[in-house]
Amino acid sequence: MAYRNPNPLNVFSGPDSLSHYFDPEQNPPLPLVELPTALNPFRRDGVRIYAKMLTALPAQNVKSLPALEMLKTSPKALTAKRIVEASSGSTVLSMGVIGRALWGHEGVEAWVTNKKTRESLRVLRFFGVGISLYGGLAQQEPSDPKGIMARLRRKAREEEEVCYLGQYDNDANWQSHYNHTAPQLALQLPSLSVLCSTIGTGGCITGTGRYLKSHLSSDIKVVGVCNVFGDPTPGPRHFPGFESSPFPWRETIDEFVSVKSEDSFRMSMRLSRYGIICGPSSGEALHGLLEWLRENGTNGLKRDENGEVNCVFLCADLPYQYMELYYQKLGEEEFPGIRNQCLLEVDQDPYDERWFLTPEQTVDMLVGEGGEKYDGEMLCMVPSSCACTTTRTSRTYRQQQQPIEGIFGDCSPGAVSDVSESASTIFSTASPSSSVYSVATTTSVESQHSSMGKVIDVRPRAEFVKSHLRNAVNIPLSVTKDDFYGDPQAVYGRWKEMNAAFKETGVLNHQEEDDDRQTLVVCLDGDSGKMAASMLRGASKKVGKKREVFCVDGGWGVLEAWLRRRGYGDDVWDGVD
């Protein structure tokens, strides 16, 4: 093969850009990468092993070539409304991408076993491939008259709008590799000794091996790798399911090796960790090659001018869509551990910087942008006239003989007399620290509360008593370190404490009123408010609701200082009666 690169800069432009991009003749040869000694236990014996990176094809898998060839050579494919294929992975994905990119075809449909992982189904749908599930045996014999392939053949014959390309018996499959994959290999490695590939449809190994034997050397050994019967790896087949293939494989494949799925996944992971990023089918090919070399040795194999044996295995797939299976097949000990794993149990709801308000934004939220000042009434400043720190008792308090941590009410002077004994109790259960939360309300207070929004103050009671926003609810949490996000144990402890307190006080339960008003969280350390906003928003989202929760960025100290400077709290209590 005399190779001429028509596109040395690898740029595709103009109205035919995608057509040229998917055309292997318009691209440089796919990479052929020799494995390092760490992955080649036979290097000291004069064996060199190369990975042919078919994952570098435009659709990033080995089926890119046969999908293109089958679509191009089937007149019905370009006119049918639906292209159906018995495939749960690379073939139908490639058909969907190429059909849409080159011909605007939107009707590619995968017929998939209902045993397929949800992850794999999501991948197909992501690429716009429709899905029809079938039950029964997952890997069916192509010639089985009751199998999925036979049913699709009948469907295509009976329905004019349906095209079935049939990767298992379509000669365009193996011919695509005969025309493209093999000539590249012959050019890149003329001294090739052994070709090794997994067997799915058999198209890749048949086309590539047939060309190399006829154009390069009849001495080349072609090794086919299958799944162990009853232990499938995604993509390849076991030999009994392949033996009836109509492709001319018998005069091409010299020997067969069977590989366990666990070994396939493990080898794929090893290759990927060294930068040869590939999936389980590729791992199976290399593992099979190494097993074949251990069993047969290198005597009688073709050698190059240096006396070395050159082997190639085909990298056919990528690992990403099989991540769930890697963790199922391999033990936890084969993966790096996770430090600070306790954080996976807590603080899982998202954060958003738009929720963290400056003091000015906080005031705008509470009184409305451009609204009138409250002339000192925004802050609750004098304990003797503050309903938030009243000594009024609730039934829960009288039962437990504990001080009330907070009362939600009008904090302006004279408001204490408006709080009735029959006022509703909103929070009345014990906190993790045995505190009692109680909120008493009146009609006038509810009106003010609705207009200003809901304020939850999670500072310790001693800090809350000194000064707080009018109408605030105090749900006191313990003091935590500054920048507690830098300490995983502190994050874990803070979240657990906050979650328990919010649950017991009912704050996590989304109320109807939460749909119409915003909630502000005030904290002492500057970070607890961020966690609370995330937690409260997340709790509402879990029940299909949306709660607008914000926090004061920097905490109470920043907000109070800003309010003092602007005359909102000149008379804030200094802690001395």
Side-chain angles (χ1 to χ4, degrees):
M1 175 184 175
Y3 177 73
R4 180 182 64 84
N5 187 353
N7 186 10
L9 296 181
N10 216 19
V11 175
F12 305 91
S13 59
D16 297 324
S17 59
L18 287 177
S19 166
H20 292 161
Y21 174 53
F22 281 97
D23 182 357
E25 299 300 327
Q26 301 292 325
N27 287 265
L30 300 173
L32 185 67
V33 185
E34 183 175 4
L35 299 187
T37 304
L39 294 172
N40 177 7
F42 298 98
R43 185 66 190 93
R44 290 189 178 89
D45 302 321
V47 176
R48 306 180 76 169
I49 300 176
Y50 294 83
K52 178 61 172 174
M53 304 303 293
L54 296 177
T55 52
L57 285 162
Q60 299 186 337
N61 66 72
V62 67
K63 301 298 185 179
S64 181
L65 291 176
L68 176 63
E69 199 73 16
M70 288 189 287
L71 286 167
K72 284 170 59 178
T73 56
S74 172
K76 191 175 181 181
L78 305 182
T79 58
K81 292 183 179 179
R82 296 166 61 197
I83 298 176
V84 299
E85 186 60 48
S87 167
S88 58
S90 299
T91 300
V92 75
L93 186 153
S94 297
M95 286 180 181
V97 170
I98 296 171
R100 182 179 293 104
L102 271 56
W103 297 287
H105 206 300
E106 298 283 349
V108 175
E109 186 177 301
W111 285 69
V112 182
T113 170
N114 62 344
K115 282 77 174 173
K116 201 66 177 174
T117 65
R118 301 295 189 272
E119 187 177 16
S120 295
L121 298 180
R122 285 196 292 268
V123 170
L124 292 177
R125 296 172 66 198
F126 172 83
F127 283 100
V129 175
I131 294 175
S132 289
L133 299 176
Y134 65 84
L137 190 65
Q139 284 193 338
Q140 298 185 359
E141 179 72 31
S143 59
D144 182 357
K146 292 185 177 180
I148 184 61
M149 287 77 134
R151 291 201 296 273
L152 291 179
R153 288 188 203 101
R154 289 194 296 270
K155 180 182 283 292
R157 285 196 302 266
E158 296 166 1
E159 301 179 29
E160 185 61 32
E161 67 174 19
V162 175
C163 173
Y164 172 55
L165 294 175
Q167 60 172 327
Y168 287 91
D169 52 17
N170 190 326
D171 285 335
N173 182 342
W174 68 266
Q175 289 169 356
S176 68
H177 293 287
Y178 186 95
N179 295 332
H180 302 297
T181 305
Q184 284 189 15
L185 273 174
L187 178 69
Q188 292 173 313
L189 195 63
S191 57
L192 176 63
S193 309
V194 180
L195 173 71
C196 186
S197 172
T198 51
I199 297 173
T201 63
C204 184
I205 192 170
T206 299
T208 307
R210 188 178 178 87
Y211 180 97
L212 293 174
K213 279 177 174 282
S214 61
H215 288 72
L216 201 59
S217 171
S218 59
D219 293 331
I220 291 174
K221 287 288 184 183
V222 177
V223 180
V225 185
C226 300
N227 295 333
V228 169
F229 197 8
D231 181 23
T233 293
R237 299 175 71 82
H238 51 69
F239 182 75
F242 166 72
E243 194 173 9
S244 63
S245 169
F247 297 157
W249 62 268
R250 286 176 175 81
E251 59 267 37
T252 304
I253 303 175
D254 297 299
E255 297 189 43
F256 291 88
V257 178
S258 293
V259 174
K260 296 187 297 184
S261 63
E262 179 182 327
D263 293 329
S264 303
F265 278 88
R266 182 177 291 111
M267 184 60 75
S268 158
M269 187 170 70
R270 287 200 69 207
L271 283 163
S272 296
R273 289 177 176 181
Y274 276 86
I276 309 295
I277 300 174
C278 59
S281 175
S282 309
E284 183 168 305
L286 177 57
H287 190 91
L289 172 61
L290 297 179
E291 290 223 338
W292 185 83
L293 288 170
R294 287 190 190 98
E295 185 174 337
N296 295 276
T298 59
N299 290 334
L301 294 178
K302 176 188 172 185
R303 295 178 181 270
D304 63 17
E305 63 276 11
N306 298 315
E308 295 183 315
V309 173
N310 294 288
C311 305
V312 169
F313 72 99
L314 302 181
C315 275
D317 60 344
L318 291 172
Y320 307 112
Q321 71 189 86
Y322 305 113
M323 278 300 140
E324 185 178 335
L325 286 174
Y326 281 92
Y327 285 86
Q328 289 177 11
K329 295 285 184 180
L330 307 177
E332 276 292 325
E333 66 277 4
E334 300 201 31
F335 300 90
I338 301 176
R339 292 181 180 175
N340 307 322
Q341 196 162 353
C342 64
L343 293 184
L344 293 177
E345 303 174 27
V346 302
D347 199 27
Q348 294 295 293
D349 296 304
Y351 286 59
D352 191 320
E353 293 181 358
R354 292 173 297 178
W355 308 341
F356 312 156
L357 305 184
T358 64
E360 186 173 9
Q361 290 171 326
T362 301
V363 173
D364 287 343
M365 188 202 106
L366 293 175
V367 304
E369 189 173 354
E372 295 181 359
K373 290 186 178 182
Y374 269 64
D375 297 327
E377 295 181 10
M378 179 171 287
L379 285 175
C380 184
M381 301 170 292
V382 184
S384 60
S385 61
C386 174
C388 298
T389 55
T390 181
T391 57
R392 177 175 298 283
T393 61
S394 68
R395 182 175 62 177
T396 304
Y397 161 75
R398 290 193 296 268
Q399 288 173 345
Q400 300 189 21
Q401 295 295 303
Q402 300 240 356
I404 297 174
E405 295 289 353
I407 296 294
F408 171 40
D410 184 356
C411 303
S412 58
V416 174
S417 60
D418 293 332
V419 182
S420 67
E421 190 74 331
S422 61
S424 62
T425 299
I426 300 177
F427 303 141
S428 60
T429 56
S431 77
S433 59
S434 298
S435 300
V436 176
Y437 305 112
S438 178
V439 179
T441 64
T442 66
T443 303
S444 61
V445 171
E446 283 298 327
S447 175
Q448 292 172 351
H449 171 70
S450 297
S451 66
M452 289 189 61
K454 185 175 184 177
V455 180
I456 299 175
D457 193 320
V458 298
R459 291 178 298 148
R461 179 179 181 274
E463 297 296 325
F464 177 79
V465 167
K466 292 178 183 177
S467 61
H468 47 266
L469 290 173
R470 183 161 60 87
N471 290 335
V473 180
N474 184 215
I475 304 180
L477 302 178
S478 61
V479 177
T480 187
K481 60 169 62 177
D482 289 338
D483 188 25
F484 67 80
Y485 284 113
D487 182 346
Q489 290 300 325
V491 174
Y492 181 86
R494 176 52 110 203
W495 190 92
K496 285 287 189 179
E497 179 189 12
M498 182 181 294
N499 186 61
F502 283 5
K503 275 186 177 179
E504 293 184 16
T505 55
V507 175
L508 286 181
N509 298 328
H510 189 96
Q511 307 294 330
E512 282 189 25
E513 61 190 21
D514 292 324
D515 294 330
D516 302 321
R517 67 186 179 196
Q518 297 172 319
T519 298
L520 177 72
V521 180
V522 179
C523 70
L524 181 65
D525 52 75
D527 288 329
S528 293
K530 298 174 182 178
M531 180 180 285
S534 168
M535 184 184 294
L536 293 173
R537 283 176 177 260
S540 291
K541 187 176 181 179
K542 287 179 178 68
V543 296
K545 301 289 186 178
K546 183 178 180 181
R547 186 190 311 192
E548 295 289 333
V549 187
F550 302 88
C551 66
V552 181
D553 196 9
W556 176 252
V558 172
L559 177 61
E560 184 185 38
W562 190 90
L563 291 172
R564 281 174 178 265
R565 287 196 299 271
R566 283 153 181 80
Y568 283 96
D570 293 337
D571 298 323
V572 172
W573 182 49
D574 61 6
V576 180
D577 287 330

